[in-house]
Amino acid sequence: MTRKLAATLVASCFIVAAEAQSDIWRTDSLQEVVVTGTGTEHLLKNAPVQTEVITSKMLRNYAGKSLEDILSGLMASFSFNEDDMGSQMQMNGLGNSYILILIDGKRIHGDVGGQNDLSLIDPQNIEKIEVVKGASSALYGSDAIAGVVNIITKRHDQDGVLLENTSRVGSYGDLRQHNGLALNFGKISSYTNFQLQHSDGWQNTAVEHTEGSELPITDSRNKTVNRHTNWQVAERLTYTPLKNLELYADGSVYWKRIYRPSGKYAHYDVKTYDMKYRNASLSAGGKWKLNKTDNVTLDIDWNRHAYYYHFTATTLVEDYEKSKGTIYYPYFPYLPGQEELQSDQQRTMAHLKGVFSLPYENRLSAGMEYRYDWLEAPNRVEGGKVSDWTGALYVQDEFNLIPNLNLTAGLRLNQNQQFGTRLTPKVSAMWKIGQPWRLRATWSQGFKTPTTKELFYRYVRQMSGTYLYLGNTNLKPQTSNYYGLSGEYTGHGLSVTVSTYYNKVDDMIALVTIPNYQAPDEYIVLYDPVKTRQYQNIEDAKTYGVDVNIRYAWKELAFGAGYSYLDTEANQYDTTHDKMTKVTIDGMAHHKGNLFATWTHAFSPDYNLGVGIYGRFSTKRYYQIDGDGKGYQTWRLSTTHDIGHSKTMTYRVEAGVDNIFNYADRTPHGLHLGTTTPGRTFYVSFTVRFNKGKKLKNNYNSNLNTRENEEN
């Protein structure tokens, strides 16, 4: 049924294209330059790999407060279920650990319990977002089995001084602050960025689900979203000693605290510590343009993510390392204000890459990469410290067999410290069928080794009883085969893209509930868990579906819709009953979608108005334990006001209503939610920019290379 639906939708797209060909088929979005799919620059309409783009115009109209807000509101294939441990992102059926998040082509580092903390990304500093679905391990290595999300930040190419401030306030004490200072003088430039985010949190229900009890707690103090504060300071220095050479150095410091309420129920909602995070990063590198088409880049990065308990009451804590060889677990007191390290993750990467134009319209990309991961978790891994390294060589060639057919083929050789050598290939093709439409096809393999956490980590979660989570040193690497086919039509201001995909993941790693007797005896005696969950290899897992995106622009109006159909299959060998059983890929929803309509109008040189209506929906989300997430739909009204202007000053006001019809999921704590929204909320923001200087040509990240200019 699913395959028939996919075939019907693709065929419909092609019929529309055949009936509506026109010389006037270009849209502004197709002139976007994208880099993520191949690692080289292409106009969106000529990108060999299917790429979805959230443009700067879409970002300005939507006025999202966070990356989660932006992706879930503007792309149907994404879903989120945020909690204290991170964003819990999912794309086309696969979760956060299979989605590679990049900032300007470099990996984000902020793993929290297997989830990335996307609040590391300042939404006010995003120029656009590029999304490539499907395995991209040949180019980007591990973690890119589901796809890649590349956050392109704003380039501040002004000679002189730029000073900007955005202050946003909203319901439930929501506060967002962004400050930027750019200084550009000749060959040296600097950009300093500060962001602050705060929320008082909210409670959608006071009911607490209790495992194994008929009567739930009805006056729980647990919140749906806890009060939290985070801030970040980042600095980037750029030096251009030669016209064709740019060097850079940047760094950042990030701090976050999650304030958790304490309660009277010792087993369920008593909290004697808050969660605290400290991140830091340093990087340096440069780009050397050998000529108009060839270049070499070098990037060296160091990142740290540290996670602490910040105690708010006197607490006795076990020391696992000191308890070895003893019958009793010694406890040590922590006083209010003291902190205990839970995990300190550090990563060092070096990446050398070259892009070269060869005869017969070939563009060759080749590179080498080294990655070293180090984890210290005194009470969560055996021995307290573990490490891992991976080296890689890769090559990719883009070439045209005939004028309207582009092929891209890549191969990556990975060498991992624990799991040996693996080759991962990728082949993509794009066929231009006249001016209005394109057909793209992709086959790619993915390869992902178990993380140090999946191998060695152990931790306890107190929510509706005690849950014990265990790593597994017997895990095998995951491999995947991804097949994608898409058709795209653009004409008369209308753009339609239909994509089908099939992603088969072998030895997929997932948290699986196991009988308590299969866990180490000392953990069962110590914690007496109601459930024990362990990372295990699922025999095989499949995700397949259809994504449809429609955009239409007419004068000052723009309309859009997105729809994502998803189905999954997974099998696991049950050692207890000696049989194969079907399991659910957590978080899967069969149907998701979004709609929007925007109108912009310049009433005068001093006032421009933008109005947007945005809706999104999801059907039930399925989970192995703790219930399923309810289906929902929410609607949003946003308005933007560009007020006044001068040679040096610009002003902007944004105001809107989120969740207009006041929907909130009242599912008891401890069970899965469809959405964490508190109901109807309001927001307003004010931006002021002072800019004194003239625009300069950006030599480091030019918009179009010579080949693109010649073609167009």
Side-chain angles (χ1 to χ4, degrees), residues 607-611 638-644 651-655:
Y607 179 59
N608 185 79
L609 172 66
V611 180
S638 69
T639 66
T640 61
H641 312 261
D642 293 295
I643 305 171
Y651 307 92
R652 181 179 175 88
V653 175
E654 298 170 349

Side-chain angles (χ1 to χ4, degrees), residues 90-135:
Q90 191 181 79
M91 179 173 69
N92 289 142
L94 295 177
N96 190 92
S97 61
Y98 299 95
I99 305 168
L100 180 60
I101 308 294
L102 305 174
I103 300 179
D104 293 327
K106 296 191 292 185
R107 291 168 175 260
I108 186 176
H109 184 68
D111 183 20
V112 184
Q115 305 294 331
N116 279 322
D117 183 0
L118 298 183
S119 59
L120 286 162
I121 301 168
D122 184 355
Q124 296 295 329
N125 200 34
I126 299 176
E127 177 66 24
K128 63 179 179 179
I129 302 172
E130 299 178 7
V131 177
V132 176
K133 298 173 184 176

Side-chain angles (χ1 to χ4, degrees), residues 58-116:
M58 295 169 67
L59 291 169
R60 285 172 60 83
N61 289 338
Y62 187 73
K65 67 179 181 180
S66 65
L67 182 62
E68 296 94 326
D69 185 20
I70 292 166
L71 289 176
S72 60
L74 295 176
M75 286 193 169
S77 53
F78 282 94
S79 59
F80 293 86
N81 192 16
E82 299 174 62
D83 61 17
D84 288 349
M85 301 309 294
S87 303
Q88 296 194 28
M89 175 171 56
Q90 191 181 79
M91 179 173 69
N92 289 142
L94 295 177
N96 190 92
S97 61
Y98 299 95
I99 305 168
L100 180 60
I101 308 294
L102 305 174
I103 300 179
D104 293 327
K106 296 191 292 185
R107 291 168 175 260
I108 186 176
H109 184 68
D111 183 20
V112 184
Q115 305 294 331
N116 279 322

Side-chain angles (χ1 to χ4, degrees), residues 30-41:
L30 292 183
Q31 305 310 308
E32 289 283 342
V33 178
V34 295
V35 298
T36 308
T38 61
T40 54
E41 294 175 338

Side-chain angles (χ1 to χ4, degrees), residues 356-363 397-399 707:
F356 309 98
S357 292
L358 301 179
Y360 306 107
E361 295 298 319
N362 282 26
R363 186 186 304 182
D397 190 20
E398 304 170 53
F399 56 97
R707 182 177 300 181

Side-chain angles (χ1 to χ4, degrees), residues 645-650 689-693:
H645 72 280
S646 67
K647 291 183 178 180
T648 58
M649 302 293 295
T650 59
R689 289 168 58 94
F690 170 81
N691 185 4
K692 187 174 180 60

Side-chain angles (χ1 to χ4, degrees), residues 11 65 79 95 214 219 223 232 336 349 386 435 451 465 488 528 575 712:
K65 67 179 181 180
S79 59
E214 296 182 359
D219 59 349
K223 290 187 174 185
Q232 182 184 53
M349 288 190 67
V386 291
Q435 283 283 32
T451 66
E488 176 187 285
D528 188 25
T575 56
N712 296 285

Side-chain angles (χ1 to χ4, degrees), residues 81-279:
N81 192 16
E82 299 174 62
D83 61 17
D84 288 349
M85 301 309 294
S87 303
Q88 296 194 28
M89 175 171 56
Q90 191 181 79
M91 179 173 69
N92 289 142
L94 295 177
N96 190 92
S97 61
Y98 299 95
I99 305 168
L100 180 60
I101 308 294
L102 305 174
I103 300 179
D104 293 327
K106 296 191 292 185
R107 291 168 175 260
I108 186 176
H109 184 68
D111 183 20
V112 184
Q115 305 294 331
N116 279 322
D117 183 0
L118 298 183
S119 59
L120 286 162
I121 301 168
D122 184 355
Q124 296 295 329
N125 200 34
I126 299 176
E127 177 66 24
K128 63 179 179 179
I129 302 172
E130 299 178 7
V131 177
V132 176
K133 298 173 184 176
S136 299
S137 295
L139 191 61
Y140 292 105
S142 188
D143 306 332
I145 284 181
V148 179
V149 179
N150 192 8
I151 313 299
I152 311 296
T153 60
K154 295 177 180 178
R155 300 286 296 183
H156 303 280
D157 304 320
Q158 306 292 325
D159 186 15
V161 178
L162 168 67
L163 181 62
E164 57 187 0
N165 169 268
T166 298
S167 299
R168 173 178 174 138
V169 295
S171 304
Y172 297 97
D174 188 74
L175 172 64
R176 312 274 164 159
Q177 182 73 29
H178 161 82
N179 299 97
L181 173 63
L183 302 172
N184 292 273
F185 301 104
K187 297 181 178 181
I188 300 176
S189 64
S190 164
Y191 183 69
T192 307
N193 181 68
F194 170 81
Q195 66 156 326
L196 170 71
Q197 302 176 8
H198 173 82
S199 172
D200 289 340
W202 56 84
Q203 184 186 56
N204 286 349
T205 179
V207 178
E208 183 92 18
H209 169 73
T210 55
E211 189 74 29
S213 174
E214 296 182 359
L215 298 175
I217 296 172
T218 57
D219 59 349
S220 170
R221 295 187 62 187
N222 276 316
K223 290 187 174 185
T224 306
V225 171
N226 284 324
R227 179 175 172 238
H228 57 272
T229 303
N230 62 272
W231 57 262
Q232 182 184 53
V233 178
E235 169 66 25
R236 180 181 177 92
L237 291 170
T238 304
Y239 174 55
T240 310
L242 303 171
K243 184 178 180 180
N244 61 340
L245 175 64
E246 180 175 287
L247 306 175
Y248 77 89
D250 59 33
S252 68
V253 177
Y254 172 87
W255 178 95
K256 182 175 183 177
R257 181 169 174 180
I258 298 174
Y259 302 86
R260 309 198 307 164
S262 60
K264 64 182 180 180
Y265 298 102
H267 293 293
Y268 301 112
D269 67 351
V270 62
K271 305 293 191 303
T272 61
Y273 57 86
D274 294 335
M275 295 178 175
K276 200 168 185 179
Y277 307 96
R278 297 194 188 110
N279 287 19

